[in-house]
Amino acid sequence: MKLTKLLPFLAIVALLGFTSCTTDSLAEDQNNAIELPVAPQAKQIEIEIMELINAYRINEGLNALNEHSTVKAVAFTHTDYMVQVEHVSHDNFFLRQQSLEANADANIVTENVAYGFNSAASVVNAWLNSPEHRDNIEGDYTDFDVSAEQNDAGKWYFTNIFIKR
């Protein structure tokens, strides 16, 4: 076979080989996105955060949000991740979004994260004093939940997810 005819064939084989690795990894990410974790029992600080957010929403003339165990479970996975990597972030948000779309019938998903606050009031006040975080709290959502976890040094990490169904 001539090299000019063989070269395009080899290029396609090479591309398929690389694509296969990428596809496997995307399929694995998508499987992780719809995996449904178990929601841990709510801590007192989490209950207080949810009460403060709903009290704020009601005071602003907005509907109170319903707690949602699937949202809680997904929030917990992210908070646990942030504790493990010792960094507050929105890393892999699209996976949480996909999981909530698949498992909680969410149409819209957003989140607030935080680190280092020692009380429900302090973290909620910080979110309310930030325009982007306040927009999430005041948004047109139906359900929410929050996860708060401490690292080994006792510092709190928070993930608060809002969904609209």
Side-chain angles (χ1 to χ4, degrees):
M1 187 176 269
K2 290 185 176 182
L3 185 58
T4 56
K5 290 184 180 181
L6 186 58
L7 208 47
F9 174 74
L10 291 174
I12 290 171
V13 169
L15 283 174
L16 288 176
F18 291 125
T19 304
S20 152
C21 292
T22 305
T23 303
D24 290 345
S25 127
L26 283 175
E28 187 176 303
D29 286 347
Q30 288 172 347
N31 286 340
N32 289 340
I34 59 172
E35 223 174 87
L36 189 58
V38 176
Q41 185 173 352
K43 296 175 186 64
Q44 187 60 38
I45 193 169
E46 295 165 338
I47 294 167
E48 291 172 12
I49 289 168
M50 293 174 63
E51 288 173 348
L52 288 168
I53 288 173
N54 269 337
Y56 173 82
R57 287 179 60 88
I58 291 166
N59 191 54
E60 294 296 308
L62 303 167
N63 63 304
L65 301 174
N66 301 306
E67 64 183 81
H68 196 290
S69 63
T70 303
V71 174
K72 168 86 170 157
V74 172
F76 170 75
T77 62
H78 185 59
T79 305
D80 188 51
Y81 164 81
M82 292 191 301
V83 169
Q84 288 177 13
V85 299
E86 299 178 344
H87 178 70
V88 65
S89 72
H90 294 285
D91 290 355
N92 304 309
F93 173 74
F94 72 97
L95 293 175
R96 290 185 294 289
Q97 180 179 16
Q98 287 176 348
S99 181
L100 290 167
E101 288 169 351
N103 296 301
D105 296 323
N107 295 312
I108 300 172
V109 179
T110 192
E111 72 182 11
N112 289 339
V113 296
Y115 163 77
F117 296 94
N118 293 321
S119 70
S122 64
V123 71
V124 171
N125 285 334
W127 284 332
L128 290 173
N129 286 318
S130 161
E132 295 84 9
H133 294 98
R134 186 177 56 249
D135 286 347
N136 288 342
I137 290 172
E138 294 176 350
D140 183 21
Y141 302 108
T142 55
D143 306 270
F144 76 139
D145 223 303
V146 65
S147 170
E149 297 296 325
Q150 288 179 294
N151 66 9
D152 292 337
K155 297 286 185 182
W156 286 98
Y157 287 78
F158 304 89
T159 304
N160 183 201
I161 298 179
F162 302 85
I163 69 169
K164 181 173 184 174
R165 296 187 289 149

